[in-house]
Amino acid sequence: MQKNNVILPPKMIGIIGGGQLGRMMAIAARHMGYTIAVLDPTPNCPTAQVADEHIVAAYDDMEAIKKLTEISDVVTYEFENVDLTAAKYIEAKGKLPQGAHVLEVTQNREKEKQQMKEAGLPVPDFSIVTNGEECKTALENTTFPAVIKTCRGGYDGKGQLKLTGKSEEQEAIEFTEKHQHCIIEQWVPFDKEISVVFTRTQNGGLEIFPIAENTHKDHILYQTEAPASISEQVRIKAVEAATILAEKMQIVGTFAIEMFVKGDEIYLNEMAPRPHNSGHYTIEACNISQFGQHIRAICGLPLTPVRQLQKAAMVNILGDDMEHALTKMPVLEKGSFHLYGKAGVKPKRKMGHVTFTASKDEEVSDLVNAYRRKNND
């Protein structure tokens, strides 16, 4: 896509991936008057429920990719593990403003960390290992605790193993032998985790959403509060780091960076080249959502200057929580429920989220506590 190429409604936006992020992108786009095509192998997937066209096919099915490219005026994606051959094909057709390079980096933890390091940004010490012998050597020079992760794949805590000491060396070696390409990182004893969600246009316009503070449960994001309770020094460092990466990688669209905070220091952890779970609060709490801003960016429209209208907390609804969430919907006056339309309820599966907003932090906490209570008193 050429710079300044503006895509106006009712033109068609193609989305690779039919999960909840694609669904929320599609809803934002439909509000603006766009039409939607989605490529996903699952019939009646969340995005297909709000799309005009659904190509039911595997993500690496090149015939399906060609069809999506042909019928769409611009193409985006809702996850980073897009087939690179497909991404390069769409980019060559001038319809992937986000580009294939950013996918190539974010699909691979080694490339991701190297990109951050080359940009002069703070990351935990790490080493790359491809076999058991390399793993053993690396562990001799590693300060514990540490974590070993697969370089490709893995999310919500999958594909990683925490190492508390030398006694777990054999487990780490077996992990490496199984997965081949791994990264060993020093464990950061952080005070909190934050995420910086921002959107950048094809012409370099940049808008950063208020920094959010994340709480995890069993390695899955459980709750996000915004704005984060951080010092001004940390906020400045986080914004500077995001700005540097956005320019270095020539990001287009909405993008997220997770960071650890330790005192007044930050350490960059992982990146996501698309809207992020920790940015869902923006739908109710800001004057424009991360999804609306993303659609504006990929369609060549100017970004809306971001303002947070109220303080917010977003709580994920996992499969385990669905019954509880449904008992709360009829009794809570406040709380914006988003259910994603997924067919099967599974224990750790993200089924939806609920966002609470108020003018004061204490009011938000009270609303979250009322939601969490098991009874309806």
Side-chain angles (χ1 to χ4, degrees), residues 119-365:
L121 300 173
V123 295
D125 289 338
F126 68 93
S127 52
I128 304 299
V129 295
T130 59
N131 57 52
E133 196 58 43
E134 287 179 3
C135 177
K136 187 174 182 180
T137 303
L139 289 176
E140 288 170 6
N141 301 305
T142 298
T143 304
F144 293 98
V147 61
I148 184 169
K149 304 175 184 178
T150 57
C151 277
R152 289 186 64 89
Y155 61 95
D156 290 343
K158 299 177 178 71
Q160 62 179 266
L161 179 68
K162 187 177 179 182
L163 308 171
T164 56
K166 289 282 284 181
S167 58
E168 286 156 327
E169 180 182 285
Q170 190 55 39
E171 283 182 72
I173 289 171
E174 289 170 8
F175 185 94
T176 308
E177 291 289 359
K178 179 182 176 182
H179 297 288
Q180 299 295 308
H181 188 196
C182 299
I183 182 169
I184 299 173
E185 295 178 28
Q186 187 173 349
W187 186 271
V188 177
F190 56 91
D191 302 322
K192 58 185 65 179
E193 184 197 280
I194 59 172
S195 52
V196 183
V197 177
F198 62 86
T199 313
R200 185 177 180 276
T201 68
Q202 299 162 54
N203 296 323
L206 184 70
E207 283 290 332
I208 300 177
F209 288 96
I211 295 172
E213 184 174 332
N214 301 324
T215 304
H216 288 78
K217 195 173 172 182
D218 299 328
H219 301 289
I220 301 172
L221 183 64
Y222 180 57
Q223 180 172 320
T224 295
E225 296 166 70
S229 177
I230 51 175
S231 68
E232 182 62 12
Q233 191 175 352
V234 166
R235 192 193 68 79
I236 291 169
K237 287 180 180 178
V239 167
E240 283 179 351
T243 304
I244 289 167
L245 265 186
E247 291 303 317
K248 183 174 177 62
M249 295 177 69
Q250 292 290 287
I251 301 301
V252 173
T254 294
F255 192 96
I257 310 171
E258 295 175 332
M259 306 180 188
F260 298 130
V261 178
K262 185 181 179 184
D264 280 331
E265 298 302 318
I266 61 166
Y267 296 89
L268 277 65
N269 182 27
E270 293 181 349
M271 305 188 283
R274 35 80 183 168
H276 193 258
N277 195 170
S278 64
H280 292 350
Y281 80 89
T282 60
I283 298 172
E284 280 80 28
C286 295
N287 61 321
I288 186 165
S289 75
Q290 62 168 342
F291 301 100
Q293 205 79 298
H294 180 72
I295 298 302
R296 295 186 69 85
I298 65 168
C299 290
L301 304 178
L303 300 179
T304 299
V306 172
R307 285 184 298 113
Q308 184 166 358
L309 307 175
Q310 286 193 300
K311 297 179 184 296
M314 185 280 309
V315 182
N316 267 338
I317 300 172
L318 303 182
D320 322 60
D321 312 316
M322 267 295 278
E323 189 178 342
H324 175 73
L326 292 174
T327 63
K328 287 294 183 178
M329 281 183 81
V331 296
L332 289 181
E333 293 177 349
K334 297 182 178 179
S336 298
F337 285 81
H338 297 254
L339 298 179
Y340 302 147
K342 294 184 179 179
V345 179
K346 298 176 184 175
K348 301 296 180 190
R349 193 180 196 193
K350 291 173 183 172
M351 303 302 297
H353 71 269
V354 56
T355 302
F356 300 96
T357 59
S359 57
K360 296 179 181 177
D361 289 328
E362 310 83 69
E363 292 176 45
V364 175
S365 295

Side-chain angles (χ1 to χ4, degrees), residues 50-119:
V50 295
D52 300 276
E53 300 271 350
H54 181 194
I55 300 170
V56 182
Y59 301 126
D60 59 354
D61 181 331
M62 281 308 296
E63 286 308 309
I65 289 290
K66 287 174 184 176
K67 182 179 178 184
L68 180 73
T69 307
E70 185 181 329
I71 66 174
S72 302
D73 294 283
V74 64
V75 177
T76 185
Y77 43 79
E78 67 139 21
F79 60 93
E80 49 269 39
N81 290 312
V82 175
D83 181 76
L84 283 180
T85 302
K88 288 173 182 175
Y89 171 84
I90 304 167
E91 184 176 24
K93 293 292 181 181
K95 293 186 178 181
L96 190 72
Q98 291 159 274
H101 173 69
V102 70
L103 286 170
E104 195 170 345
V105 171
T106 54
Q107 283 178 7
N108 186 306
R109 286 190 172 104
E110 177 181 3
K111 290 181 179 178
E112 197 172 65
K113 282 291 190 294
Q114 290 292 2
Q115 184 86 80
M116 295 172 180
K117 195 173 179 181
E118 286 168 17

